[in-house]
Amino acid sequence: METAVSKLLSILPTPVAAVLMLGGVIFYVLGCVRLGYGAAVRPLVLDLIARAEQEIQGTKRGAERKAWVTKVLRAALNNSKYGRFISWIITDETIGRVIQFFFDQMRKALEN
């Protein structure tokens, strides 16, 4: 078994294997950053959603509230110590998904 695995792995030249491993590590790190981002900003997002509900009054203004929360989160990310290094990875679409996820979770909790 060990011989079969070593023969299978010896097909790739060492530089190609190193590049593939480095690429895998980079994708793994980017995935961890994106997944951890949602969990790390949960309290901030929930607080901003509550503030948006209080500050922007009126019906049919959900898009305006979401845009405000997105703008504040982007500013907080750009002003944080390490956030400016990864802000290019986190798109406004990702921020919007995080906001929508936590808003839905908050709505479920309030309905129960």
Side-chain angles (χ1 to χ4, degrees):
M1 180 70 176
E2 187 176 317
T3 315
V5 171
S6 66
K7 284 185 179 182
L8 181 66
L9 293 177
S10 67
I11 293 172
L12 292 175
T14 304
V16 173
V19 167
L20 289 175
M21 287 176 23
L22 181 63
V25 168
I26 290 172
F27 282 115
Y28 176 75
V29 167
L30 290 176
C32 287
V33 166
R34 283 189 173 246
L35 289 174
Y37 174 73
V41 299
R42 180 176 183 256
L44 177 62
V45 171
L46 293 177
D47 179 53
L48 289 175
I49 289 173
R51 284 181 37 202
E53 289 288 329
Q54 292 172 354
E55 292 181 12
I56 304 173
Q57 296 293 324
T59 58
K60 307 290 182 191
R61 301 202 48 196
E64 185 179 342
R65 290 180 187 126
K66 187 174 181 180
W68 181 82
V69 172
T70 303
K71 181 182 76 167
V72 173
L73 276 177
R74 175 61 67 189
L77 179 66
N78 289 335
N79 293 331
S80 68
K81 184 175 181 179
Y82 298 110
R84 62 180 160 249
F85 296 120
I86 62 168
S87 65
W88 61 274
I89 298 171
I90 301 168
T91 63
D92 287 341
E93 180 181 319
T94 305
I95 292 174
R97 287 182 185 167
V98 168
I99 293 168
Q100 191 63 48
F101 173 77
F102 288 126
F103 177 76
D104 294 340
Q105 296 299 316
M106 192 168 69
R107 184 185 300 168
K108 284 181 190 176
L110 290 174
E111 288 175 356
N112 291 337

